[in-house]
Amino acid sequence: ETPAHTLVVAAQIDDIISLDPAQSFEFSGNDVTQNLYDRLVDFDALDLSKGYQPSLAESWQMSSDGLTLTLTMREGVTFQSGNPVRAEDAAWSLQRMVKLNKTPAFILTQFGFTPENVDQMITAEGRTLTLRLDKPYAQSFVLNCLAASNAAVIDKETVMANAQGDDLGNAWLSTNGAGSGPYSLAAWRPNEVVQLVANDGYWGGAPAMKRVIVRNVQESSAQRLQLEAGDIDVARNLTPTDVDALAGNPAIKFSEELKGRILYMGLNQKDPLLSQPPVIEAMKYLVDYAGMEASFLKGQWKTHQAFLPEGYLGALEEDPWTYDVEKARKILTDAGITSGTVTTKVRDIREYLDVAQSLQNAMAQVGLTLEIEQMTGAQVLDAYRAREVPIFLGEWGPDYADPQTNAGTFAYNPDNSDEAGLTGLLAWRNAYAVPADMNAAVDAATVEQDTEKRRQMYVDLQKRYQAEAPIIPLFQRVARDGMQANVQNWSTGGSVISAPYKQVTKGE
Amino acid sequence: MSALLSVRDLRVSFPSRQGMFEAVRGVSFDLGRERLGVVGESGSGKSMTGRAILGLVRPPGQVAAQALTLGGQDILNLPERERRRIRGRRIAMVMQDPKFSLNPVMRVGDQIVEAYRLHSGAGRAAARLKALEMLEAVRIRDPERVFQSYPHEVSGGMGQRIMIAMMLAAGPEILIADEPTSALDVSVRAEVLRIMDDLVRDRGMGLIFISHDLNLVAQFCDRVLIMYAGRIVETLAARDLHSARHPYTQGLLNSLPRLDAPVDRLPVLERAEAWRDGPLVDASMTEALPGGLR
Amino acid sequence: MTAPILSVADLRVWFGHPPDRVDAVRGVDLGVSRGESFGLVGESGSGKSTVLRAIAGLSPDWSGRIEVAGESLSGARRSAAFHRRVQMVFQDPYASLHPRHTVDRVLAETLTLQGMDDIDRRIVRLLDDVGLGRGFRFRYPHQLSGGQRQRVAIARALAGEPELLLLDEPTSALDVSVQAEILNLLTDLRADRGLTYLMVSHDLAVIGHLCQRLAVMQAGGIVDRLDVADLRAGRSGSDYTRHLIAASQYQRA
Amino acid sequence: MSDVSLRDWLLTDAPQTRRQARLGAFYQGWLVFRSNHLALLGLVILVLLVGTAIFAPWIAPQSPFAQDLADRLQPPSAEHWLGTDALGRDILSRLIWGSRITLFIVGTVALISPLIGLLIGTVAGFAGGWVDQVLMRITDIFLAFPKLILALAFVAALGPSVTNAVLALALTGWPPYARLARAETLTIRNADFIAAARMQGASAPRLLILHIWPLCLSSLIVRVALDMAGIILSAAGLGFLGLGAQPPAPEWGAMISDGRTYILDHWWVAAMPGIAIFLVSLAFNFLGDGLRDVLDPKGAGE
Amino acid sequence: MGGVLLSLVLTMLGLLLVTFIIGRVMPIDPVLKVVGERATQAQYDAARQAMGLDQPLVIQFLRYIGDVLQGDFGRSISTGHPVAEDLRRVFPATLELASLGTLIGVVIGVPLGVVAAANRGRWIDQVARVVALVGYSVPIFWLGLMGLLVFYGILGWVGGPGRQGILFDGMVETRTGLMLLDTALAGDWPAFRDAFSHIILPASLLGYFSLAYISRMTRSFMLEQLSAEYITTARVKGLPEWRVVWGHAFRNIAIPLITVIALSFGSLLEGSVLTEIIFSWPGIGSYITKALLAGDMNAVLGGTVVVGTCFVVLNLLSDILYRVLDPRSK
Ligand SMILES: Nc1ncnc2c1ncn2[C@@H]1O[C@H](COP(=O)(O)OP(=O)(O)OP(=O)(O)O)[C@@H](O)[C@H]1O
Ligand SMILES: Nc1ncnc2c1ncn2[C@@H]1O[C@H](COP(=O)(O)OP(=O)(O)OP(=O)(O)O)[C@@H](O)[C@H]1O
Ligand SMILES: [Mg+2]
Ligand SMILES: [Mg+2]
């Protein structure tokens, strides 16, 4: 039995390398910053479909030319340090993100901010915060980006007091918190535990759970045993087997949330075999979607064949492909392809390996040999960024709650040359020379102010993508967390944000 | 006067691939308060005889005998506990090589004290005094220092004397000395022999002196048993050794080079198959108490 | 008397480095003539074996002068000619044969190393010479008795047809009856092949039997030199030698 | 030749030919070995293993690779004697095919590590002086180095594959053997038979290879046999970290690591390869104990 | 002693060098761990430069040695913390586990080995053998998960994964980093019981493993001693068998046994990665492994230095003990 006002979560949190919102880009790290900080706008954990809601910003106004966004700050909110939350802090936080130029910086720089101009483009005056954009972006696009956990509002005074050199407090903030969020950081012992303590003076009301303890438990089996023993409230990394085993236990229930992560297959267009359209087409039919979904991916991934995850504006919910070896074979033989060998470098994660082996099995049936090389995440990524992975199997998680987050990487590649070094773009990594009109369509969608039109643009984009792109989305992630029956309102933030804890309660 | 130890038809055998191998095949003798030499070639069963008397033949070796009596008491069939009480207290044994026979990580004094206390039940202090006394008895000049030393710190001759002191601490009636001098220099050897000689004379102890040096045995012992292939082939008074009748004994004696009688070629022992099982030279050996007891 | 085949002058041998240095031999002079049998006696640790090993090149640290058949030696390196000329037999027959090599292999290797041809025939002859029939050719050491092993060791030493044999207590580990056989063998071989012996023993009787001259060592130095007749008669200028002779004939007090 | 006379021929004290001597020595060893029943059992298991590896294509009831997601995680049954794994593959067939990989791992590591160790250890022990110092420092470094790290680094550097995993294990496993071989050499190098060989003018490499190695080899073999379980399990450990055999290779360690997700509910997936590894390492251990009796005079019975 | 120190320093330097080389030749790019999936080339280059990886290797090595000599192991890129701080946290965890494991291994393994040797070939010897061989042969993660299932899941006798129950997490002041010691020092007995209930299972597993090794080695040492001549002497004295075995033979193996125990302890310190993963034990083994897989060379180097030092120190200690305990070594 865990204490009534303590929430104990078992999860794999060994990916956290920094808790600085301007740097943290890992799932577990964002789960922490989500709770330590508030953002200008935020999602309601209890109803994510409402979209972004006022948070530290009470209201906002887009200028008629669509180039200036003015936000008005909420009054009377203080940081956990006791300092007031000012527009100046918000401006500084955003400027800091751009200036530090860590990986998440693109979330803001895509609006034309640069380290040089950001002091002029983002300004604070009294209660108002002004963002000057380089194009008339869709308002929802901008605000969705401001809801990203990286765009947290940070306590400038506290951080600057701990800054070293010109790091803008990055080193200190990596292991400390300075936010106004519902929780403050009590301890982070890497690979071991994150402890959060409720911020009782929280402006949105004191959270019910006074302590949140997230323990690093690697093994699903161990998480399951702990759940059964009542030593934890929530287990976040249960394998389908363990979920099945726990299903009959009345003391335990499961949440089921669609996450934003897409498991996809990238066919490198540098590969002579994979660059042939019939092969691309055939590969779509060589994935045993239903079989995998029913077996080792059960309850964790659902078939989803478009690059926008369900829950995103314009997400396409049609799944045109099914497992059909005969069809694949016909496509290939019609094109005169009866044999071939390709390699895949797969990260040493069970599911990926199983997917790869299943694919290997199916490909073998049409005469294609798939050689699997399993390696560490860093190694795969290295090769992938060097465009050296013929078939890539892996996932992509959206960085913010706007469709652009995936469109801009799956379907956007302005320069397919090696020298361009657009290592951040999935299309580039797969050497997919996105047609110019598709690139233009992606750009156009970001500046479309009419949300309905914008939605349609994304639907069209995905349809076209399904028809011709060599990057094949396969599954969308489902979070199935096991928890004690008395845990209420548990959320992992769905497909749009990280896991918030403030709304969680425990009944009797 | 009765025999201290009486051995009848002692057999020691080891299982081997070719069936049972008998290392000792029916040895009988009596020991009084005397120096009894046992000689023979390597492998003739001398050491096994000694070990069998103490009950120290390791498995899978097996010991059998018609009788094995110590002061009239049967010791062959005693339970192990009783047997242990005899060992050390009533029969002791000094082994060939002091370098390997003393525990290398225990102080010399402690090893003596341990032996003494086990049988006398004396206190630590008393045992210590006794140990020093014993060291003195074996003519160790600086007993205090030797008491504190470890085996590797003492010379071979000293080690052998320590072994003797240790074995004699409990005042045994019988001492079996298994080649106690073969590892020693001639000069040290004389010293060690003198000590044992004194003990037999002064304490009336029985001594079984195992050796393969015939000259030495002839000089030192009262009586000699000659062993061949696990059997005693001849028993003699030591002074009569050089007039031994058995061709084996003769052969052994002759094959020794001698300073006083130079020869060009040494006579070589011609072994006869008959020696293994042939009739013993002296039938009286199998009867009680053959001559030589004082 | 012919020229000395072996001459040793002011030989000093030590082991180890200064704090733990042991000076085992401290200035030994020796001369052994061709065809002679020379004995070296002394108590344990007096340095007898060390002298032999220094000559044989088995003790690297020595000073002084060693000459074998006119060849001056240095350090622990020995020429092929030396190996052909000088051989050694060790004290412990149980330690001087490689436990995993058959008699055949031991002899064959030796013959090859000595650059001999016609190896098969020579092996058979060597075995005959040391009184081991052909039946022993393919045995392993553990299938041999101590005396037989010592014969193999002697055969090995003879394989290269040496002139000088260094004998380090070749019989002390053996039974008297076997000792007699080996001593006879050594006598015969010397007669047949005109060998020269330098023999170490602590048994005066053995030295007396085999050697013509002897030197007595004590604490790394030579304290006395005498010939066999003197030894037999107990004539010696040295107290120590007389003590040794007396002690070797134990008399009960 | 009848049975009795063959035995006599082998056991004779006076062999007539080199071959007879060698066979005789071998037979004697065999007799000692045979009297150790557990060692015999170990040998039988290993012979079976080798047989399985050789005849895998004929023995295996099904393909080790054929997947059937509908038939996954089936408990042992008449159709699948040892059940099926997460992709519906027949575990028995995978085990049978996997014996080849296991043998490969064991064989290669057992060949390379002791050889490196033997070379370094004997050279160090035999040469003494600064050569010994340098080689032993290197050995110390490798010994002090976390072994798994070293192996991981090797594998990571060379790329994950069974061959590389094996190589890594071999390259990290030698220090203990080097120490053993050195200790052994130190006791041998001053032996009279080495001195005797020197007296014949034998060169240092000759002494090392023909005289010293054969003697070190026996204790090394014993040690290797005892370490064999460790080798299989280390390979499995690398597999557990995703650095061993590449899928879908039926490497036993990798199979266990695949099955670890299912340990609590589908025990056979991990347990079957586990039992296989256990049996084989047990067999090697028994064998090692028996070999100790034959080869290593120390510790053998009085 | 000077020679010992010199060789110690040389060994440590060699260790550092090897680790360093491994770190740099490993085809795992540490920069990627820092910048993550989405970084642009410019961000990547900036991070690489900030990490000093653009310098020549020699410079990098010298700089590293210099830092290490000042006790600075740098910052870990996989935890974001200074490596020294991480090590202060993870090393005691492993030390505690390995110590208790070794203790269990010694307390059971040594008597088992002695008894097996004294009863060579009898049933107790066979039982000891099978017990040890099972320890040798069973994959530790299998035993670990099964142990968790049975003793934690079903029986509930022990605490689950982790070093402490959540109720006690952070409740006791960290002094030594060894949970058992800290709780005892604080006099907080419920916390001590809790810590004990968490450590006992993984420690027993490791203990079983070292028991297997120690008992086999003990047995073979004992067999050698029991056939020595001084044992016969002891028997001649009439000593009861247990005194022969424990009073005489055992004293002689105590010395080589120390080396064996030190070695086994050392291997538990470095080699309990799998146990640590299964029991969510935040120890140095899994720390180094994880760091290695992320190309986090500061952490790997730091961890290796600590483990390597332990090894060297253990070696040294057992050498010294050897000298103190063995009268033969002057
Ligand atoms: N454990 C054993 N197994 C089989 N045979 C043994 C065993 N111990 C001794 N023997 C044999 O018993 C015989 C007698 O051995 P013992 O030690 O009594 O000889 P010994 O006369 O003392 O010889 P030495 O003078 O060499 O000491 C020998 O042939 C020996 O090989
Ligand atoms: N390798 C060595 N290292 C150190 N000291 C040695 C070594 N070999 C011999 N000694 C010492 O040299 C001295 C002479 O030894 P040596 O073996 O020559 O004596 P010995 O006269 O042959 O004695 P023994 O009759 O016992 O064979 C002894 O004090 C011995 O301890
Ligand atoms: Mg004997
Ligand atoms: Mg000598």
Side-chain angles (χ1 to χ4, degrees), chain D residues 57-121:
Chain D
W58 295 276
I59 303 176
Q62 283 156 47
S63 157
F65 306 119
Q67 301 177 8
D68 182 0
L69 286 180
D71 209 14
R72 67 196 292 266
L73 298 174
Q74 293 302 308
S77 65
E79 196 189 343
H80 300 286
W81 288 5
L82 303 183
T84 62
D85 71 2
L87 293 173
R89 296 174 294 204
D90 183 49
I91 292 180
L92 176 62
S93 307
R94 285 178 70 72
L95 279 183
I96 290 174
W97 281 90
S99 63
R100 292 185 165 187
I101 306 178
T102 300
L103 269 183
F104 170 74
I105 292 175
V106 161
T108 322
V109 177
L111 221 62
I112 301 178
S113 288
L115 222 59
I116 302 177
L118 184 67
L119 189 69
I120 292 187

Side-chain angles (χ1 to χ4, degrees), chain E residues 88 92 173-179 181-182 185:
Chain E
R88 266 200 300 283
E173 182 197 351
T174 304
R175 276 184 254 204
T176 59
L178 306 174
M179 212 55 92
L181 211 59
D182 281 350
L185 283 178

Side-chain angles (χ1 to χ4, degrees), chain B residues 14 21 23 41-48 179 212, chain D residues 302:
Chain B
F14 292 92
F21 168 75
E41 290 176 295
S42 176
S44 56
K46 307 183 295 287
S47 302
M48 277 306 147
E179 313 205 11
H212 56 234
Chain D
E302 299 113 37

Side-chain angles (χ1 to χ4, degrees), chain A residues 140-384:
Chain A
S140 58
F141 176 31
V142 181
L143 286 168
N144 271 329
C145 285
L146 292 181
S149 62
N150 300 96
V153 176
I154 304 170
D155 183 350
K156 178 182 178 188
E157 307 304 328
T158 307
V159 171
M160 285 315 283
N162 290 293
Q164 294 164 12
D166 51 4
D167 79 337
L168 296 172
N170 173 243
W172 184 80
L173 212 52
S174 283
T175 55
N176 290 281
S180 60
Y183 287 94
S184 61
L185 184 67
W188 165 38
R189 298 199 297 274
N191 304 334
E192 193 180 343
V193 75
V194 169
Q195 291 189 16
L196 303 178
V197 174
N199 173 12
D200 283 329
Y202 185 59
W203 60 271
M209 294 292 110
K210 297 304 169 206
R211 273 203 324 154
V212 176
I213 298 174
V214 187
R215 284 197 151 197
N216 184 39
V217 181
Q218 287 290 329
E219 294 285 302
S220 160
S221 322
Q223 292 192 4
R224 162 183 162 191
L225 291 172
Q226 285 182 301
L227 198 59
E228 282 176 325
D231 283 351
I232 56 172
D233 295 310
V234 181
R236 292 196 61 181
N237 304 90
L238 293 174
T239 59
T241 330
D242 287 321
V243 171
D244 281 350
L246 287 170
N249 188 336
I252 287 159
K253 64 178 185 184
F254 295 94
S255 69
E256 193 159 319
E257 277 179 89
L258 268 179
K259 301 293 289 180
R261 283 141 78 181
I262 299 283
L263 182 61
Y264 66 96
M265 169 164 70
L267 308 178
N268 194 321
Q269 294 304 291
K270 285 188 162 184
D271 187 286
L273 182 69
L274 298 174
S275 56
Q276 302 178 40
V279 176
I280 298 175
E281 187 61 16
M283 288 301 288
K284 297 169 182 168
Y285 296 98
L286 288 175
V287 180
D288 188 357
Y289 305 94
M292 290 192 259
E293 195 182 328
S295 55
F296 51 82
L297 299 183
K298 187 170 155 195
Q300 303 211 303
W301 294 92
K302 71 179 278 277
T303 306
H304 182 82
Q305 299 169 349
F307 66 70
L308 281 183
E310 244 176 78
Y312 275 66
L313 179 74
L316 181 65
E317 301 196 4
E318 278 162 36
D319 297 331
W321 314 307
T322 52
Y323 181 49
D324 192 340
V325 177
E326 283 316 313
K327 184 161 182 181
R329 183 178 296 128
K330 183 160 187 313
I331 297 171
L332 288 173
T333 43
D334 284 354
I337 300 165
T338 50
S339 69
T341 300
V342 258
T343 314
T344 172
K345 301 188 186 202
V346 184
R347 189 168 172 193
D348 48 1
I349 288 180
R350 189 74 263 140
E351 293 125 51
Y352 297 1
L353 287 170
D354 283 347
V355 172
Q357 288 188 68
S358 173
L359 185 67
Q360 183 181 49
N361 189 48
M363 285 170 71
Q365 295 178 45
V366 296
L368 300 179
T369 309
L370 180 65
E371 272 165 14
I372 301 175
E373 277 181 38
Q374 79 180 317
M375 36 177 75
T376 67
Q379 281 178 303
V380 178
L381 186 55
D382 200 10
Y384 195 29

Side-chain angles (χ1 to χ4, degrees), chain C residues 131-241:
Chain C
L132 284 174
R134 284 145 215 234
F136 291 90
R137 180 165 169 191
F138 296 106
R139 293 201 192 183
Y140 285 91
H142 69 260
Q143 293 168 322
L144 301 174
S145 74
Q148 290 162 346
R149 289 180 200 213
Q150 205 59 305
R151 283 170 195 265
V152 174
I154 292 172
R156 172 176 59 194
L158 292 176
E161 300 182 349
E163 296 157 35
L164 173 62
L165 271 194
L166 307 173
L167 304 166
D168 189 358
E169 312 207 28
T171 61
S172 70
L174 305 175
D175 277 334
V176 285
S177 54
V178 186
Q179 167 173 299
E181 293 170 15
I182 298 289
L183 289 178
N184 286 341
L185 171 65
L186 288 171
T187 311
D188 295 347
L189 286 172
R190 193 160 76 93
D192 292 352
R193 304 190 170 205
L195 292 170
T196 309
Y197 290 159
L198 174 55
M199 167 142 151
V200 160
S201 178
H202 60 246
D203 189 333
L204 288 173
V206 168
I207 293 285
H209 176 76
L210 201 68
C211 301
Q212 288 102 48
R213 289 197 301 141
L214 63 144
V216 181
M217 285 189 72
Q218 188 189 12
I222 290 184
V223 293
D224 196 12
R225 282 165 219 277
L226 61 171
D227 62 26
V228 163
D230 295 334
L231 177 70
R232 297 224 162 93
R235 281 193 305 266
S236 167
S238 148
D239 284 346
Y240 181 69
T241 312

Side-chain angles (χ1 to χ4, degrees), chain B residues 12-16 21-24 38-51 57-61 96 178-179 210-212 227 230, chain C residues 175, chain D residues 301-302:
Chain B
V12 180
S13 46
F14 292 92
S16 81
F21 168 75
E22 287 209 295
V24 178
V38 180
V39 291
E41 290 176 295
S42 176
S44 56
K46 307 183 295 287
S47 302
M48 277 306 147
T49 305
R51 282 171 186 257
V57 174
R58 294 188 187 183
Q96 179 167 2
D178 189 355
E179 313 205 11
I210 299 175
S211 173
H212 56 234
M227 288 191 72
Chain C
D175 277 334
Chain D
E302 299 113 37

